[in-house]
Amino acid sequence: MGRHTSIYMFNKEKAAANLYEDLQHRTYHAGTFKKFIEDRNKEFNTYNMSFSSILEIIRTDANLLTPDDLFEITLFLSNHIYNLSKQEDWNTSMKQIESLYNHYGIIELFKLPTKTVCTAYMFQYGNYTEYFPLDEIKGDDGGANILSEDFLRFNDYVILVMKRIIESKLNDNDDQLTDEEEKIIEAIKIENKDNSHLFEVVENELNFLIDMASNDNDGPYSQTIYYANVFLSKAIEMKLKIDIEKNSRIVIVDSY
């Protein structure tokens, strides 16, 4: 099984109204969510997922779902779409999942494309949290539920590292940033002008990636460099989407 990493936030009102009701009562093409959780607990003896506990969290505030809870929900909904549209193409299935997520108040901010790219991104998360601890609830399988303000600080770090990679022209891509992206990056630098430690960590990470990528070929370090522009553009996109007043927490689901 490959590594899968996705980042989510929630519309807790939609989740409390729609996701709570359907997971409790609806029979999907994949069966009921209750039966799904029961089967998963039997299949994996180490699992101790609680159907009623997950529903109660959704009813109260979906922002408090653990990465493990959210993984089970998204896996179940993906199975439903797969069983519903076996004859459809991939793009159609993705649109159906997006529509279902929207109805349920689940907002997928970033789905990373490959196992190696997932590892590359999570290496950056691990590096950042080594220096700047976050308010996080870690999952048993992987990932974390993070205070949105803390996630946005990590997100700014990603932007700064990727900007330095692009500036250093470490890959063959002729990456060009837009004026809007440059403006946002400059605002991050100004906001953190008194945080010299952050810029030291960014420079140290750049030098580390340069050293490691030379022997890494297609591994996570070289992929960080190769995907620098994608990481940067998605990080800016997330920065503009996340409203800390509405989206109190961000969940990274990181499963193997």
Side-chain angles (χ1 to χ4, degrees):
M1 180 179 177
R3 186 172 192 169
H4 302 277
T5 306
S6 295
I7 304 172
Y8 300 90
M9 66 182 183
F10 304 95
N11 178 319
K12 69 177 185 179
E13 289 77 21
K14 275 188 178 182
N18 302 331
L19 183 62
Y20 173 77
E21 180 68 21
D22 280 8
L23 290 185
Q24 186 174 29
H25 298 297
R26 179 177 173 183
T27 299
Y28 296 77
H29 281 75
T32 66
F33 184 61
K34 182 177 182 180
K35 180 66 163 52
F36 174 80
I37 292 297
E38 290 172 352
D39 289 346
R40 294 276 287 172
N41 284 333
K42 290 176 184 176
E43 183 180 359
F44 301 99
N45 292 329
T46 56
Y47 275 33
N48 188 26
M49 307 297 295
S50 169
F51 169 74
S52 59
S53 176
I54 292 173
L55 285 184
E56 180 59 22
I57 292 169
I58 294 169
R59 186 189 67 81
T60 305
D61 186 355
N63 288 290
L64 299 177
L65 285 167
T66 69
D68 302 321
D69 294 338
L70 186 55
F71 173 75
E72 298 301 325
I73 292 168
T74 56
L75 179 62
F76 175 73
L77 295 178
S78 295
N79 289 345
H80 163 67
I81 293 297
Y82 174 76
N83 286 320
L84 179 67
S85 57
K86 286 182 179 178
Q87 304 304 317
E88 304 288 351
D89 61 32
W90 183 85
N91 286 331
T92 300
S93 295
M94 291 303 100
K95 288 178 182 178
Q96 289 174 330
I97 288 175
E98 183 180 353
S99 176
L100 194 63
Y101 280 3
N102 179 60
H103 178 65
Y104 287 150
I106 301 171
I107 303 156
E108 186 176 74
L109 294 167
F110 188 14
K111 185 180 183 68
L112 288 108
T114 69
K115 174 182 177 181
T116 308
V117 175
C118 292
T119 302
Y121 185 87
M122 293 309 293
F123 272 178
Q124 291 307 312
Y125 181 77
N127 183 60
Y128 180 83
T129 55
E130 182 178 340
Y131 296 99
F132 305 100
L134 306 182
D135 181 329
E136 62 178 351
I137 304 167
K138 290 188 175 181
D140 293 332
D141 190 33
N145 177 313
I146 309 155
L147 189 69
S148 58
E149 292 174 72
D150 280 350
F151 177 82
L152 286 171
R153 292 188 185 99
F154 158 66
N155 197 59
D156 283 351
Y157 156 83
V158 170
I159 291 170
L160 293 175
V161 172
M162 301 309 139
K163 168 65 170 173
R164 290 293 293 120
I165 290 172
I166 293 169
E167 285 178 337
S168 301
K169 300 188 181 301
L170 298 180
N171 61 40
D172 296 331
N173 298 335
D174 184 23
D175 295 322
Q176 300 292 327
L177 303 185
T178 66
D179 291 342
E180 182 64 22
E181 287 173 332
E182 293 284 11
K183 188 184 299 183
I184 290 169
I185 294 166
E186 188 59 31
I188 293 170
K189 290 179 179 178
I190 292 170
E191 184 180 348
N192 291 280
K193 61 182 172 40
D194 296 325
N195 189 355
S196 60
H197 184 45
L198 173 62
F199 293 100
E200 288 172 8
V201 171
V202 168
E203 289 303 311
N204 287 341
E205 182 61 15
L206 174 69
N207 293 328
F208 173 78
L209 288 169
I210 292 171
D211 289 342
M212 296 300 294
S214 60
N215 298 312
D216 190 47
N217 296 322
D218 293 325
Y221 304 115
S222 62
Q223 290 296 290
T224 302
I225 292 171
Y226 182 78
Y227 274 88
N229 194 50
V230 175
F231 283 160
L232 186 144
S233 63
K234 291 300 292 187
I236 288 177
E237 184 181 307
M238 288 191 284
K239 183 177 180 68
L240 296 175
K241 281 185 177 180
I242 296 169
D243 181 342
I244 61 174
E245 298 300 323
K246 296 179 180 178
N247 317 116
S248 60
R249 303 190 75 86
I250 304 297
V251 178
I252 301 175
V253 174
D254 184 43
S255 62
Y256 297 83

